[in-house]
């Protein structure tokens, strides 16, 4: 079985505080000393997965090396705490 490979983006929900509304953060640990992230305000018109996807896409758009590698999201997974997205330079092909 051949698996797609690419950067992993983890998203995390932050509930509201006395000072800020709900937020969603997308994070990619590029190296031991380099982590890229972006935080968006929660869009109440979207569900949890769609908010996580919007954050992951925003992180892809903010990557400094995107001009050399056009990335798209090709897979999503989740557990109780987070959504996980795989980015790749090629779309998934039908099996």
């Amino acid at each position: 079985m051949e698996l797609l490979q690419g950067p992993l983006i983890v998203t995390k929900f932050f509930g509201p505080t006395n000072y800020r509304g709900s937020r969603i953060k997308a994070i990619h640990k590029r190296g031991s000393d380099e982590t890229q992230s972006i935080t968006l305000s929660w869009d109440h018109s979207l569900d949890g997965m769609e908010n996580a996807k919007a954050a992951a896409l925003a992180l892809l758009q903010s990557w400094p090396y995107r001009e050399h590698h056009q990335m798209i999201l090709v897979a999503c997974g989740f557990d109780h705490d987070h959504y996980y997205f795989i980015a790749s330079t090629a779309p998934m092909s039908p099996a």
Side-chain angles (χ1 to χ4, degrees):
M1 174 190 335
E2 187 175 333
L3 298 175
L4 287 175
Q5 297 182 35
L8 178 70
I9 298 171
V10 179
T11 62
K12 181 175 174 94
F13 171 76
F14 292 92
T17 67
N18 290 338
Y19 305 101
R20 291 184 176 177
S22 298
R23 292 154 288 137
I24 187 84
K25 184 172 189 174
I27 305 155
H28 171 65
K29 186 165 174 103
R30 184 160 165 80
S32 62
D33 61 346
E34 184 181 359
T35 300
Q36 295 166 315
S37 69
I38 194 163
T39 303
L40 301 179
S41 295
W42 190 262
D43 183 340
H44 292 279
S45 69
L46 303 175
D47 66 15
M49 202 289 270
E50 289 297 321
N51 270 286
K53 181 180 173 185
L57 288 169
L59 183 61
L60 282 181
Q61 292 301 310
S62 73
W63 283 359
Y65 45 88
R66 74 180 171 95
E67 63 191 44
H68 302 292
H69 303 285
Q70 186 63 28
M71 296 278 195
I72 60 171
L73 298 178
V74 295
C76 175
F78 59 90
D79 61 20
H80 177 58
D81 298 319
H82 308 285
Y83 284 97
Y84 304 86
F85 295 90
I86 300 286
S88 180
T89 56
M92 284 176 58
S93 59

